[in-house]
């Protein structure tokens, strides 16, 4: 096998996703700990009292203890090379998360045992389904009182349509986590706590007799429940998992490092390696084709010391060698990959060579935008990354009008990075662009960055709109006259009609059916 396909076969590229607070940062840390990337939990994403976070480029992240920025962590585990892509941790549905999910081959969905499926969990399940991403589900915080395991399985089946196929089953109810029954070989994995979960939790493997002797009724109950599952067909089937019909389930306590080794093993054993990727025409591009990749995230100002702009690419085919000159399919221009880095939080390491499934951060990437395809030799274009229909709109104004240049530059940069959509309304003019977002948190990020990175404090005035449609120059004048509607133009020239609510839109559609009002992809349906 050639290098690219051979190396790709060893890759597992995934993201951990969850509703905020389910334990994503804690699990990320625990995974890094197991893979010996870090020596102590708390080094990657520590919150207050757990050491410094690596993703604290922005003061705001520090203040809120969340990670908005995202990058990738690569580590070796068994014979595999694991790429863990970081996703933003904030509460809104975020386009950023969606973009990261275009770059992974699998996702780990964390569910809080006490809370079950939450709003964001449901959206993320839907996004993965939409993109055909196989999901491994981890029921976290089993060390704390929570729901019954069987009830959680029912909830997953009923609300997501995915058949849960537990690989492990908890011994001891939520709050009394003793270990797990490994359903594949019937063994018992008994956990031992370490102080504060800061080091790898020792795991003792026992056979069924020893487990019964040690755990008594808790073991018997686990066995009985596991048999119930078997009878209901909740057994892992690799094809159904990859087809997105089932989700393997593991039980864990990320904070005590319980079940983390099982998750890594499951990723290596079951998660799919990178596969041939269809281009914009639907033609699969072979892993062994010459180098090609696409930009899934652009980010600037992560560090006040480095005012650079980074573009993160996911390699689809071929071998990346630092220094190679690639072509940007969106404009045919060359891009020299002189500075290529692996970036996870504060750590940056130069990358010399990378393979399909890997993520490379390209420095000085002001010419690259989200969705751009890069290639060498034969031209390739991968499908564009979906832009979601904005649901929140606000006018942005420079607080200090003498800083108009900084204001303009900041707006252009944020728009280019996809932090917010920047629309222009004839009614308001160039000096008062309208920021359009899917989640209102994006306003906060934009405001913060405008002030701290571009030296332009802005004021934000919320607009009463919530629905957007694509229209055209012919329909626009008539729509502009309607009640509760306004016309705005996107930087790509697309004309948007925005409405206060769906009733305003519906009234117009009914009264004037000749108008062009095409829906955009809604985040809810994603
Ligand atoms: P997120 O990134 O998904 O938002 O979640 P994060 O890891 O920050 O975890 C949210 C809270 O849940 C943290 O508590 C964390 O310690 C706790 N947590 C994570 N995994 C587990 C687990 O398996 N069991 C238990 N009992 N708790 C867990 P916090 O009070 O917000 O922060 P901290 O002071 O504990 O660091």
């Amino acid at each position: 096998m050639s290098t690219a396909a051979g190396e790709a076969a060893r890759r597992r590229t995934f993201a951990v996703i969850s509703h905020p607070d389910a334990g994503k940062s804690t699990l990320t840390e625990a995974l890094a700990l197991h893979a010996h990337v870090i020596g102590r939990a708390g080094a990657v994403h520590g919150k207050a009292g757990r050491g410094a976070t690596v993703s604290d480029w922005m003061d705001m992240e520090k203040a809120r203890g969340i990670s908005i920025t995202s990058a990738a962590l690569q580590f070796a585990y068994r014979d595999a090379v694991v790429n863990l892509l970081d996703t933003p941790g904030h509460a809104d549905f975020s386009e950023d998360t969606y973009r990261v999910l275009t770059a992974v081959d699998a996702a780990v969905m964390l569910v809080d045992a006490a809370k079950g499926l939450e709003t964001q969990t449901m959206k993320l399940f839907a996004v993965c389904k939409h993109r055909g991403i196989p999901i491994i589900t981890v029921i976290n915080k089993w060390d704390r009182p929570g729901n019954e395991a069987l009830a959680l399985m029912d909830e997953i089946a009923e609300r997501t349509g995915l058949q849960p196929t537990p690989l492990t089953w908890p011994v001891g109810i939520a709050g009394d986590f003793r270990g797990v029954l490994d359903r594949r070989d019937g063994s018992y994995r008994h956990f031992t706590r370490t102080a504060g979960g800061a080091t790898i939790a020792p795991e003792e493997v026992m056979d069924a007799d020893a487990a019964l002797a040690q755990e008594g009724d808790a073991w018997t109950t686990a066995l009985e429940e596991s048999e119930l599952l078997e009878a209901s067909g909740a057994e892992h089937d690799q094809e159904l998992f990859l087809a997105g019909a089932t989700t393997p389930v593991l039980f864990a306590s990320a904070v005590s490092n319980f079940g983390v080794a099982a998750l890594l093993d499951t990723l290596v054993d079951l998660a799919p390696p990178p596969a041939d990727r269809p281009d914009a025409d639907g033609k699969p591009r072979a892993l062994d084709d010459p180098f090609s990749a696409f930009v899934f995230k652009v980010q600037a100002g992560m560090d006040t010391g480095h005012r650079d702009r980074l573009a993160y690419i996911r390699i689809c085919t071929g071998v990346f060698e630092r220094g190679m000159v690639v072509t940007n399919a969106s404009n045919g221009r060359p891009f020299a990959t002189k500075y290529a880095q692996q970036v996870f939080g504060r750590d940056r390491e130069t990358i010399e060579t990378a393979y399909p499934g890997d993520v490379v951060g390209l420095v000085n990437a002001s010419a690259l935008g989200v969705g751009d395809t890069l290639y060498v030799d034969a031209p390739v274009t991968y499908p564009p990354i979906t832009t979601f229909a904005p649901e929140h709109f606000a006018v942005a104004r420079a607080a200090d009008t003498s800083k108009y240049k900084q204001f303009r530059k900041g707006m252009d940069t944020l728009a280019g990075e996809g932090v917010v959509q920047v629309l222009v309304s004839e009614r308001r003019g160039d000096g008062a662009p309208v920021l359009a977002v899917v989640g209102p948190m994006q306003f906060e990020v934009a405001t913060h960055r405008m002030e701290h990175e571009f030296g332009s404090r802005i004021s934000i005035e919320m607009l009463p709109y919530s629905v957007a449609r694509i229209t055209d120059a012919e329909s626009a004048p008539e729509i502009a006259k309607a009640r509760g509607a306004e016309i705005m133009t996107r930087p790509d020239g697309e004309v948007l009609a925005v409405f206060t609510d769906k009733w305003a839109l519906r009234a117009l559609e009914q009264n004037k059916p000749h108008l062009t009002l095409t829906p955009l992809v809604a985040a809810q349906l994603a």
Side-chain angles (χ1 to χ4, degrees):
M1 217 184 300
S2 80
T3 339
E7 287 291 334
R10 298 170 59 209
R11 263 47 185 187
R12 297 294 182 273
T13 301
F14 75 104
V16 179
I17 49 181
S18 72
H19 190 86
D21 264 358
K24 192 161 63 77
S25 317
T26 311
L27 180 72
T28 302
E29 235 170 57
L31 287 168
L33 179 72
H34 268 267
H36 304 289
V37 178
I38 56 171
R40 265 189 97 76
V44 178
H45 267 284
K47 301 280 172 78
R50 267 199 285 150
T53 151
V54 178
S55 330
D56 66 357
W57 292 300
M58 294 171 60
D59 300 343
M60 189 172 143
E61 289 186 317
K62 263 190 246 168
R64 299 175 142 252
I66 51 169
S67 95
I68 298 162
T69 43
S70 69
L73 176 68
Q74 184 178 71
F75 54 85
Y77 184 76
R78 290 177 21 202
D79 292 335
V81 177
V82 177
N83 292 308
L84 166 53
L85 274 59
D86 196 14
T87 55
H90 52 82
D92 298 336
F93 169 83
S94 138
E95 294 202 61
D96 268 356
T97 303
Y98 183 82
R99 290 176 194 145
V100 171
L101 289 175
T102 63
V104 301
D105 300 312
V108 169
M109 180 73 78
L110 260 190
V111 175
D112 184 323
K115 297 192 178 142
L117 304 180
E118 302 175 79
T119 7
Q120 202 69 340
T121 331
M122 293 307 295
K123 278 191 180 175
L124 289 163
F125 265 115
V127 170
C128 290
K129 188 171 182 184
H130 174 79
R131 291 208 52 84
I133 300 168
I135 300 174
I136 296 167
T137 301
V138 173
I139 308 291
N140 190 32
K141 306 197 186 182
W142 200 254
D143 59 296
R144 277 220 300 239
N147 289 303
E148 280 182 21
L150 285 172
L152 283 164
M153 297 308 103
D154 283 346
E155 190 185 359
I156 293 173
E158 278 160 25
R159 295 188 57 200
T160 70
L162 287 177
Q163 161 84 59
T165 58
L167 304 174
T168 62
W169 196 251
V171 177
I173 57 167
D176 179 26
F177 196 8
R178 305 185 191 181
V180 292
L181 159 66
D182 188 328
R183 298 188 68 229
R184 285 160 299 186
D185 61 11
S187 66
Y188 175 44
R189 290 168 184 270
H190 173 68
F191 298 122
T192 323
R193 251 173 205 285
T194 59
T199 52
I200 294 178
E203 219 181 77
E204 203 182 332
V205 183
M206 299 181 200
D207 63 17
D209 292 342
L212 180 64
Q214 171 145 336
E215 307 297 355
D217 286 351
W219 173 256
T220 315
T221 306
L223 275 183
E224 283 168 6
E225 289 181 343
S226 177
E227 275 161 23
L228 273 179
L229 289 169
E230 204 175 325
S232 70
E235 300 304 296
H236 175 73
D237 176 310
Q238 184 67 7
E239 258 174 55
L240 291 177
F241 161 55
L242 294 181
T246 65
T247 177
V249 179
L250 297 163
F251 287 78
S253 164
V255 83
S256 350
N257 286 308
F258 287 177
V260 175
L263 174 58
L264 278 172
D265 287 329
T266 303
L267 278 162
V268 173
D269 293 335
L270 305 184
D276 296 351
R277 198 176 188 96
D279 62 18
D281 298 326
K283 184 178 156 230
R285 296 289 175 152
L287 294 166
D288 273 338
D289 281 356
F291 167 82
S292 71
F294 66 91
V295 179
F296 67 92
K297 182 169 180 59
V298 174
Q299 193 170 59
M302 292 180 300
D303 185 331
T304 32
H306 307 250
R307 286 240 172 264
D308 52 9
R309 172 157 152 167
L310 267 149
Y312 294 99
I313 57 169
R314 140 107 196 195
I315 300 175
C316 302
T317 64
V319 181
F320 171 86
E321 310 263 14
R322 186 171 70 84
M324 74 201 298
V325 176
V326 299
T327 306
N328 181 352
S330 73
N331 54 20
R333 295 216 183 100
F335 180 87
T337 62
K338 189 166 165 204
Y339 302 102
Q341 299 181 331
Q342 180 184 330
V343 181
F344 196 78
R346 237 185 273 130
D347 294 335
R348 292 169 167 225
E349 251 174 61
T350 295
I351 291 182
E352 297 294 342
T353 313
Y355 303 97
D358 290 347
V359 168
V360 176
L362 296 173
V363 186
N364 288 339
S366 51
L368 302 182
V370 169
D372 285 356
T373 299
L374 303 178
Y375 64 82
V376 295
D377 299 345
V380 190
T381 303
Y382 288 106
I385 293 180
T386 310
T387 309
F388 290 98
E391 291 168 25
H392 304 272
F393 301 81
V395 181
R397 289 190 186 85
D400 179 352
T401 42
S402 69
K403 299 224 167 119
Y404 187 68
K405 236 168 105 183
Q406 287 90 324
F407 176 74
R408 216 40 278 167
K409 178 159 191 289
M411 282 291 144
D412 288 348
T413 307
L414 296 186
E417 279 178 41
V419 173
V420 287
Q421 292 182 38
V422 179
L423 311 174
V424 173
S425 165
E426 265 179 36
R427 244 187 243 178
R428 303 167 199 277
D430 256 358
V434 174
L435 309 187
V437 301
V438 178
M441 177 93 174
Q442 287 168 267
F443 289 138
E444 255 184 83
V445 175
T447 308
H448 181 94
R449 289 191 52 189
M450 286 298 290
E451 179 172 350
H452 295 275
E453 211 175 296
F454 302 99
S456 165
R457 211 153 48 75
I458 60 168
S459 68
I460 291 277
E461 180 204 336
M462 295 300 290
L463 294 174
Y465 304 119
S466 65
V467 185
R469 289 287 183 272
I470 301 236
T471 186
D472 53 30
E474 273 157 43
S475 299
E478 223 172 319
I479 298 170
K481 280 187 243 144
R483 237 162 53 109
E486 186 169 340
I487 294 294
M488 300 180 184
T489 314
R490 255 186 2 202
D492 63 2
E494 204 78 72
V495 184
L496 295 192
V498 303
F499 300 89
T500 44
D501 49 45
K502 59 176 185 281
W503 293 280
L505 166 65
R506 222 171 270 163
L508 192 66
E509 279 174 332
Q510 270 163 12
N511 296 337
K512 312 204 163 173
H514 58 279
L515 295 175
T516 304
L517 290 163
T518 317
L520 293 106
V521 181
Q524 267 82 355
L525 303 176

